[in-house]
Amino acid sequence: MSNDLKLVLEALQRSRKIVVVSHTNPDADAYGSSCGIAEGLRALGKEVVVHNESGFVPRYSVIPGASRVVKGAWPALADGELLVVTDCGALERVGDSLIDAVTSSPLVLNIDHHNANTRFGHLNYVIEGASSTSELVFDILWELERRTARNDLLSMLSGMCLLAGIIGDTGSFKYASTHASTFLAAHELMKRGARPDLVTQELFANQSLAAVKLQSAAMSGVELLNEGRFAEVIVTQEMLTAHGAELIDADSLAERARDIEGVRVSALYKQDVDMWRVSLRSRQNAVDVSAVAQMFGGGGHKPAAAFRWRKDFETLQRELRGAIANALNNSDAKRDTTN
């Protein structure tokens, strides 16, 4: 079904029990949107539980409710109960262990902002190009307040959740997906008590010494390709062990590599236990990295995307380098034609 906000609001209002889930390996927007809508719906008198395949990641403790996120699946839902999936461009993003629980749910509401969302829900509220799923949840709770003549769904708690998601996915309002509506939402959330200073401090300026050492070691090995337009950063399990760091400590490296002068696209390879996690970033939409990620079974946004790889690293690096080179050359050709 298409984006019909009225149907979305009706489903939320009539459902007596609601389970909320977001994507595995959650980021600020995954936690922010899922915990934010949960806080708002609880104020409406609903029974709401938030689940995630990864459970709670301590780095995001600034987000109210994140520490109470339940790891794993939920009991089967009955008629009259609703599953809300936030910030997932495709069903698979909930994680392998939760797919069956999602597909067996009688009513699924999909709220998302990713490019090429597969509209896997029975109800879909998908606005591609929006700053974040948290901004879309703000719109939903704002309309629910108007519909119910209340002003407590966007509270300080839900506001902190949603502001964290917005700030996280916009890089503190510096990405092209930041619109006037994004600032208006942030303004309203601050009026309700949300604290951007606390959010930015915890998300961007509170790193462990192990994380700093890992990032320093990884960036010292950065490699520039394609006449300096493509930057690669690699984080291995050996590096994590050597510095006492965790995989999440490397997450900012894709942006740091992209921000090198002359670089237009970056790739961060993170070695997990049984796979490689690859994050792609593009400077000012120079390349649609979501299209590149889709070639490897992933997805995301034009400036930021990701995918997982379970085969050997040499094949991964060779094939990704070829895909990025083609994307850069095609982008240059289009630019020359336009000029």
Side-chain angles (χ1 to χ4, degrees):
M1 301 179 69
S2 60
N3 295 328
D4 191 325
L5 185 55
K6 180 181 178 181
L7 293 177
V8 169
L9 299 178
E10 290 175 349
L12 291 171
Q13 284 187 279
R14 70 172 175 262
S15 300
R16 62 183 183 273
K17 178 180 178 180
I18 299 171
V19 172
V20 185
V21 64
S22 58
H23 62 75
T24 187
N25 296 305
D27 57 8
D29 193 27
Y31 278 132
S33 58
S34 58
C35 294
I37 197 169
E39 290 289 349
L41 293 173
R42 288 188 189 113
L44 199 58
K46 304 296 182 180
E47 178 186 348
V48 188
V49 182
V50 182
H51 286 252
N52 190 281
E53 184 178 65
S54 303
F56 169 53
V57 179
R59 174 182 173 182
Y60 298 105
S61 58
V62 70
I63 300 175
S67 62
R68 300 194 304 274
V69 171
V70 180
K71 185 174 183 177
W74 48 91
L77 298 180
D79 289 341
E81 299 176 339
L82 173 67
L83 175 67
V84 178
V85 182
T86 70
D87 206 37
C88 292
L91 175 61
E92 293 76 16
R93 292 289 288 129
V94 300
D96 296 340
S97 66
L98 300 186
I99 291 179
D100 290 343
V102 175
T103 55
S104 64
S105 298
L107 183 60
V108 177
L109 168 58
N110 166 26
I111 307 173
D112 186 47
H113 71 131
H114 289 91
N115 294 342
N117 183 285
T118 58
R119 270 69 174 181
F120 56 83
H122 302 101
L123 290 169
N124 298 283
Y125 190 69
V126 178
I127 309 296
E128 295 182 7
S131 71
S132 56
T133 303
S134 292
E135 184 179 341
L136 300 182
V137 170
F138 169 85
D139 293 339
I140 290 171
L141 293 180
W142 177 265
E143 289 300 324
L144 269 176
E145 283 193 338
R146 294 181 58 189
R147 187 183 180 100
T148 57
R150 303 173 66 121
N151 64 354
D152 59 343
L153 306 189
L154 290 165
S155 63
M156 183 275 289
L157 292 177
S158 60
M160 281 290 286
C161 295
L162 300 180
L163 188 61
I166 291 171
I167 288 175
D169 252 29
T170 62
S172 292
F173 307 102
K174 68 183 179 182
Y175 298 151
S177 59
T178 305
H179 307 294
S181 62
T182 312
F183 287 107
L184 291 173
H187 174 255
E188 184 62 31
L189 294 173
M190 290 179 65
K191 287 171 58 180
R192 306 291 183 103
R195 293 275 303 276
D197 57 327
L198 294 181
V199 170
T200 54
Q201 173 69 29
E202 292 301 315
L203 291 185
F204 303 117
N206 191 22
Q207 299 192 46
S208 67
L209 180 60
V212 172
K213 289 184 176 181
L214 172 69
Q215 293 165 17
S216 176
M219 287 302 294
S220 69
V222 68
E223 185 171 0
L224 300 185
L225 306 164
N226 301 104
E227 297 79 40
R229 296 176 296 166
F230 176 38
E232 285 185 334
V233 184
I234 302 173
V235 174
T236 64
Q237 285 289 309
E238 289 77 12
M239 295 169 67
L240 296 175
T241 301
H243 298 289
E246 300 179 2
L247 205 60
I248 193 172
D249 293 327
D251 282 357
S252 65
L253 294 178
E255 286 79 13
R256 293 183 64 183
R258 178 206 56 202
D259 292 342
I260 296 172
E261 183 179 8
V263 170
R264 295 169 60 195
V265 181
S266 67
L268 167 63
Y269 305 90
K270 298 183 299 182
Q271 186 182 25
D272 206 340
V273 177
D274 60 347
M275 73 178 77
W276 287 90
R277 299 184 182 274
V278 183
S279 299
L280 304 176
R281 299 292 185 268
S282 176
R283 185 192 297 263
Q284 296 179 331
N285 295 338
V287 167
D288 181 356
V289 292
S290 69
V292 175
Q294 287 172 25
M295 296 169 59
F296 295 84
H301 312 284
K302 289 183 179 180
F307 65 91
R308 295 177 291 178
W309 180 270
R310 297 184 182 275
K311 302 176 185 177
D312 64 284
F313 178 75
E314 291 73 18
T315 302
L316 163 62
Q317 190 174 50
R318 181 179 66 254
E319 293 188 5
L320 182 58
R321 284 179 173 180
I324 294 294
N326 289 336
L328 284 167
N329 292 335
N330 290 338
S331 176
D332 288 343
K334 290 180 180 178
R335 185 186 307 174
D336 292 341
T337 301
T338 303
N339 294 338

